[in-house]
DNA sequence: TTGAAAGCGATACCAG
DNA sequence: CTGGTATCGCTTTCAA
């Protein structure tokens, strides 16, 4: 019961006295099979416990994919990490190595459509993209979907765009964790504000919703102020925070749901508020690391960009190779980084990214990489 | 430069006017190749950017592995999750499907060696095991390593045992995160205790060390009591905690580094201390979920057993198939679960484990699974 | 020390 | 509607 050889197409064909070609067509719903034979094939293959040999399939298909990765230019480390994760996964999954073409655009909405146009022109087989303006990309993306090009969104979803999948952090978990922590750090009382880029992006709205709901449920004595929209403009974030601090000099805490925590910190500093403000930020980059280490930022919700990249590629490849649709929008549990675990966190990150470059050695083909 | 077909063994052989067999032997350091030819093969293959086709390799090798998984009987959900992760990964990596034989033993040290013996007798090609008594298993494991059977430790390492790899949570990150949180929750002052099973297990010692160090550095006004060893015996944990609470009625917080948080909670309750004690626990199981929801436990450090299982299998297979050694002991970043994000967390967990059972359908071969 | 060739299992195409 | 067969790239065995 355990040494038995694996069931192959041939075994099924043999059992039924037909050919492997027919069995194959039957199993894959290809046209031109007698419904009667089809049923029998399905029946027998189930009984025999047939499971296709993936290696053989890959080998015989022998396809090569061209995938385009359209993301923001890597000013911050976030997108560098995402791209790193994509490459990493592409190498780890060795077979079917994809031609990956990176196209970057400078800012939110800037050059995004041009990059997309170029992608279409290049006849990519699949696209991984950051929809910086989900609204305006929607029509483009639907066009692509009409020409059957699968699209995977990273970091932000583009609803109603027919994308194949979206990979992002679990926004509800992020917002609610931030809320509970904030309540605890503040001993369950005080005024708290939230900043985000725009409410129109559902990820940001969700973080806010989850934050508000959790605060109200778990820490009802906390007062929530109206959310601040910075439209991803640093100066706007700064100015609005100054206004906020002026209006509420007794503000106790602020949750920054985006990467834009530096302007907030600067504003707090300039308003002489930094020392007694509890800040919970998002993501991790050198300037923020300093602030955490210095105790100015209490915690940050790390969105695991590298893992996002890896999963985005995996989902896309799974679709291109096996035609498999991802179960759900893929949601990653965020990691919490505080002064306490900061160093261990950075250490692990460093070792993760290092073993990628080494992969281009000799007959070494796959690199071993762990999950986070 | 991008449309070029991939370089194959044949291309190299062709370029050198030799056969693929020789090229193959040269690349893999097999005996019986003229050093001269070997050098040239290496040279050319590097120049041509040769990268082996993994699918072809798997297909031609066509091996089948028997791997034994020796773990604790699943009284708690931890080991069920680990086993689930192993199965999941085994399916996801479809090719080379392994015969997985689960052997469980009832308690720490009980039946462990018998299980190991059975594993050896069954001639497994690889072993994934939880060394519940690293000390006593050491000699066994070395014996196995002499017979070339690779061993991957999960959850706990067995140092100096020649194991191939160890997969566990990042204990330093866990301890230090717990410490920082504890300090914050307690407003940086008060008496704090730590419980663990035995100091002899390095993972536990590390959590303690990291906890202590972080408390001293970041929250120097916190007083640390001596650690409590419960030897994984519930009654011992309970009794020692009662003593602790009697001796220190002003105890402010306690960090439970193991799964054994229930006896601690019970003791605190019986000592009328539960309401004002800040508890940080480890892992997640139904009884603990209730306590978190009820606000009795402030937070728990989730060790991601499912992911541990997945990685353990991946490492083992990577070694068995490609002969690749893992870079380092694999350390997972822990997840933080609090009342705030508890529900989102459970929801995600549920969806993760559900799509495994569905995998045994029809020609569906690989299941899509995300990283955590 | 090297070459030649037979698989591995699924796919796809061409005849019938 | 079905059978037969070449093919993918690597591994391995048998001869030379």
């Amino acid at each position: 019961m355990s040494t038995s050889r694996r069931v192959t197409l041939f075994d099924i064909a043999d059992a039924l006295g037909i050919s492997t070609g027919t069995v194959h067509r039957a199993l894959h719903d290809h046209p031109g099979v007698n419904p009667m034979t089809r049923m029998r094939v399905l029946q027998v293959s189930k009984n025999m416990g047939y499971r296709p040999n993936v290696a053989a399939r890959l080998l015989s298909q022998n396809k090569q994919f061209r995938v385009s990765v359209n993301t923001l230019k890597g000013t911050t480390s976030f997108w560098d990490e995402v791209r790193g994760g994509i490459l990493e996964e592409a190498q780890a999954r060795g077979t079917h190595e994809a031609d990956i073409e990176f196209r970057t655009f400078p800012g939110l909405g800037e050059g995004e459509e041009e990059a997309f146009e170029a992608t279409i022109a290049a006849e990519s087989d699949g696209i991984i993209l950051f929809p910086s303006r989900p609204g305006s990309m929607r029509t483009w993306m639907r066009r692509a979907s009409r020409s059957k090009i699968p699209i995977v969104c990273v970091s932000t979803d583009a609803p109603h765009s027919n994308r194949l999948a979206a990979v992002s952090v679990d926004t509800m978990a992020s917002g609610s964790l931030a809320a509970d922590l904030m309540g605890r750090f503040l001993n369950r009382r005080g005024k708290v504000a939230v900043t985000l880029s725009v409410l129109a992006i559902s990820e940001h709205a969700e973080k806010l919703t989850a934050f508000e709901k959790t605060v109200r449920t778990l820490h009802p004595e906390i007062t929530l102020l109206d959310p601040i929209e910075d439209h991803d403009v640093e100066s706007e974030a700064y100015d609005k925070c100054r206004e906020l601090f002026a209006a509420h000099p007794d503000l106790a805490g602020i949750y920054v749901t985006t990467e834009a925590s530096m302007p907030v910190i600067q504003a707090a500093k300039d308003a002489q508020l930094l020392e007694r403000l509890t800040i919970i930020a998002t993501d991790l980059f050198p300037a923020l690391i300093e602030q955490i280490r210095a105790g100015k930022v209490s915690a940050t919700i790390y969105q695991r960009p590298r893992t996002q990249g890896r999963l985005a590629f995996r989902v896309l490849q799974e679709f291109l190779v096996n035609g498999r649709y991802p179960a759900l929008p893929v949601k990653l549990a965020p990691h919490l980084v505080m002064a306490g675990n900061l160093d261990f966190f950075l250490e692990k990150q460093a070792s993760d990214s290092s073993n990628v470059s080494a992969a281009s050695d000799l007959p070494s083909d796959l690199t071993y990489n762990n999950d986070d």
Side-chain angles (χ1 to χ4, degrees), chain A:
Chain A
M1 122 197 187
S2 76
T3 329
S4 56
R5 206 177 44 84
R6 216 178 135 134
V7 179
T8 72
L9 266 198
F10 179 83
D11 298 327
I12 300 173
D14 204 38
L16 287 164
I18 60 181
S19 79
T20 60
T22 304
V23 174
H24 177 254
R25 285 185 289 262
L27 287 176
H28 290 269
D29 259 348
H30 284 185
V33 178
N34 186 321
M36 190 51 196
T37 357
R38 211 179 85 83
M39 290 317 282
R40 285 198 291 140
V41 169
L42 259 34
Q43 187 57 254
V44 170
S45 74
K46 181 180 285 191
N47 287 343
M48 299 178 70
Y50 171 69
R51 305 220 8 224
N53 179 320
V54 185
R57 170 177 302 170
L58 293 180
L59 181 58
S60 75
Q61 285 183 156
N62 199 32
K63 289 180 193 162
Q64 176 125 346
F65 296 111
R66 179 191 306 272
V67 353
S68 180
V69 177
N70 298 11
T71 49
L72 267 189
K73 196 162 250 153
T75 44
T76 53
S77 43
F78 187 90
W79 293 108
D80 279 335
E81 286 288 310
V82 170
R83 286 186 287 265
I86 291 172
L87 272 179
E88 193 175 314
E89 188 70 14
Q91 294 186 185
R93 314 210 110 206
T95 56
H96 282 272
E97 186 155 357
D99 281 9
I100 301 184
E101 296 166 337
F102 289 101
R103 289 174 226 278
T104 58
F105 43 92
L108 297 172
E110 294 173 54
E112 181 173 26
E113 302 191 354
E114 290 80 344
F116 197 84
E117 211 162 356
T119 301
I120 300 292
E123 303 199 294
S124 297
D125 301 295
I127 307 176
I128 295 177
L129 70 75
F130 168 57
S132 80
R133 295 270 184 261
S136 55
M137 283 304 282
R138 206 153 22 216
T139 47
W140 285 86
M141 290 173 67
R142 302 188 140 233
R143 225 183 64 183
S145 100
R146 245 176 278 123
S147 39
K148 305 275 209 175
I149 306 178
I151 300 180
V152 175
C153 294
V154 234
S155 168
T156 298
D157 198 0
H160 314 297
S161 62
N162 277 333
R163 84 282 181 286
L164 170 69
V167 176
S168 64
V169 78
D170 187 329
T171 49
M172 304 299 278
S174 304
S176 57
L177 178 60
D180 200 355
L181 284 170
M182 184 66 87
R184 293 297 201 133
F185 291 167
L186 299 180
N187 291 311
R188 305 195 153 85
R189 65 192 68 245
K191 280 190 193 173
V192 168
V194 175
T195 78
L196 41 78
S197 66
V198 269
L199 279 166
I201 294 188
S202 60
E203 272 81 4
H204 296 185
E206 280 172 18
K207 286 186 192 173
L208 176 65
T209 310
F211 187 87
E212 289 179 340
K213 181 162 177 241
T214 305
V215 163
R216 273 202 296 271
T217 316
L218 258 35
H219 308 294
E221 289 176 54
I222 295 260
T223 312
L224 272 168
L225 304 180
D226 285 338
I228 294 181
E229 287 183 283
D230 66 17
H231 301 95
D232 273 298
V233 177
E234 298 227 338
S235 60
E236 188 171 342
Y238 179 88
D239 294 341
K240 288 194 171 173
C241 282
R242 288 305 299 264
E243 284 173 37
L244 173 78
F245 299 153
H248 301 276
D250 58 338
L251 189 73
I254 188 163
Y255 169 38
V256 182
T257 66
T258 65
E259 273 192 296
S261 41
M262 292 317 291
V264 178
I265 294 169
Q266 189 58 47
K269 194 173 176 188
D270 294 349
Q272 316 277 347
L273 219 78
L274 189 53
E275 294 309 320
R276 50 188 187 72
L277 196 63
T278 295
I279 303 178
I280 295 183
T282 296
D283 280 326
L284 201 54
F285 43 88
L288 184 58
I289 290 172
E290 278 178 45
Q291 300 297 323
I292 294 173
R293 199 165 270 142
K296 310 301 183 202
V297 169
S298 299
T300 191
I301 309 282
Y302 186 63
Q303 309 196 84
R304 309 170 66 193
R306 186 169 211 92
T307 304
Q308 288 195 30
R310 274 217 307 273
L311 292 179
F313 185 84
R314 192 181 302 181
V315 168
L316 183 55
Q317 157 145 332
E318 202 65 23
F319 177 78
L320 289 173
V321 175
N322 301 322
R324 186 146 308 127
Y325 286 84
L328 311 157
V330 181
K331 305 269 192 202
L332 277 182
H335 284 173
L336 181 69
V337 181
M338 297 176 58
N341 64 341
L342 178 61
D343 288 325
F344 297 110
F345 201 84
L346 295 175
E347 204 176 294
K348 230 161 60 56
Q349 270 206 296
S351 76
D352 275 5
S353 32
S354 67
N355 47 11
V356 154
S357 45
S360 48
D361 255 18
L362 258 193
S364 81
D365 31 339
L366 288 182
T367 314
Y368 168 74
N369 287 303
N370 70 21
D371 252 6
D372 358 349

